[in-house]
Amino acid sequence: MRVIVHAGFHKTGSSTIQAILREARDRLPDWVFGLRYDIAGISRAARHVSLNGDPLELGLFKAALADWLGEQHRDGRGIVISNERIMGAMPGDPNVTSYAVAPILLAAMRDVIHKQLGKSVDLQFYLSTRDPAAWIDSLHWQQVRTSTLAETQASFRARIMPQFQIESVLAQTRAALRDTPLITHPLEHSKTRPEGPIAPLLDLMNLSPAERAQIKPAPPQNARPRGVDLTALADALAAINAQELSADAAEQAKRDVMREAWREDAKLRAKND
């Protein structure tokens, strides 16, 4: 049996990959899929590990994963876990500026999977990456859009960039995983392939050409509008958060700003068409 753990990272095409897998899972009955909402308990536990660093929280993370694995059938070709939230909290969340917890979480997953399925299981970890500057801007966009973060993009960059040492995180994760493979692909490359960001994951699944032909691409999830100054737009959302409005009022103000931005996007599309 092959087990593939696609653990993100956040903002590297993971939502698009999960949308494709969610649509395709019924056509791949020999595979078990653990997507974001299938394994919400594991996600919550990972978040607590990254925020608190408490060994008890790590134990709860491992128990949640063991419980989920114990419920899955094991007579198929494999298991695919695809969920960026098993990397813990997103940088920009309170007191989180990096993925320093990644080696701990993924090594814990390896141990649980080996204990549940045996050390002979063909286990592989896969992470998508991207250019750090664009990555941090995308993290800022997600945070100001969906949380109460009030930092400007420039301030967020200055705070996160010094701690955002992905190559170091990857090196530490490979060391923690020991002989278990960790495969990485930059989003800038994978999104140019005909199948889009999911292509490296499909490679790891070793699907037949007929099976692969059944996988339908999905439009990018969480896309940002074109034809506008994205920095100014992100900073406008941050400014709304800084006003400390009620949750409903802040949400309405953000919707108004985004509605205008999407109008500009529609004008650009119409012009290009």
Side-chain angles (χ1 to χ4, degrees), residues 42-267:
I42 300 171
S43 302
R44 286 192 296 271
R47 178 175 175 82
H48 289 309
V49 172
S50 64
L51 292 176
N52 303 327
D54 187 335
L56 175 62
E57 302 290 0
L58 185 62
L60 294 174
F61 172 74
K62 295 170 75 171
L65 176 60
D67 287 346
W68 182 81
L69 286 170
E71 295 170 353
Q72 311 310 313
H73 70 78
R74 304 181 186 184
D75 54 356
R77 288 169 58 188
I79 298 172
V80 173
I81 298 173
S82 180
N83 179 8
E84 72 280 9
R85 296 183 182 182
I86 57 180
M87 295 297 270
M90 182 187 298
D93 280 357
N95 301 317
V96 179
T97 57
S98 73
Y99 286 106
V101 76
I104 297 170
L105 288 169
L106 296 193
M109 292 191 77
R110 177 210 57 203
D111 292 346
V112 171
I113 292 168
H114 281 163
K115 184 175 181 179
Q116 291 288 312
L117 304 178
K119 291 189 176 180
S120 62
V121 69
D122 181 8
L123 173 61
Q124 302 188 42
F125 287 84
Y126 167 54
L127 294 171
S128 180
T129 64
R130 65 188 293 185
D131 171 73
W135 195 346
I136 289 172
D137 287 351
S138 185
L139 289 168
H140 177 257
W141 168 260
Q142 183 74 7
Q143 290 284 10
V144 296
R145 188 173 61 86
T146 63
S147 78
T148 59
L149 184 76
E151 282 182 284
T152 65
Q153 187 183 85
S155 176
F156 187 83
R157 281 182 186 174
R159 180 168 66 91
I160 299 296
M161 184 65 84
Q163 311 298 322
F164 200 74
Q165 304 298 321
I166 290 299
E167 290 305 320
S168 175
V169 168
L170 292 175
Q172 293 173 42
T173 303
R174 286 193 170 95
L177 292 175
R178 299 196 290 272
D179 58 348
T180 301
L182 172 62
I183 298 96
T184 63
H185 285 280
L187 177 63
E188 291 82 2
H189 293 173
S190 62
K191 71 180 183 180
T192 64
R193 295 181 60 177
E195 294 153 322
I198 199 172
L201 183 57
L202 299 181
D203 293 342
L204 294 175
M205 292 174 70
N206 284 334
L207 299 181
S208 70
E211 290 172 319
R212 200 151 175 157
Q214 297 183 68
I215 307 299
K216 298 179 181 179
Q221 307 293 297
N222 302 318
R224 289 180 281 183
R226 303 177 302 168
V228 298
D229 183 330
L230 292 176
T231 297
L233 180 58
D235 287 351
L237 297 176
I240 292 170
N241 291 336
Q243 295 176 41
E244 299 184 351
L245 304 170
S246 69
D248 288 344
E251 183 62 28
Q252 183 58 56
K254 290 182 184 181
R255 278 200 296 266
D256 292 342
V257 169
M258 291 303 301
R259 188 178 298 112
E260 183 58 34
W262 283 112
R263 286 196 187 103
E264 294 301 316
D265 178 89
K267 290 178 184 177

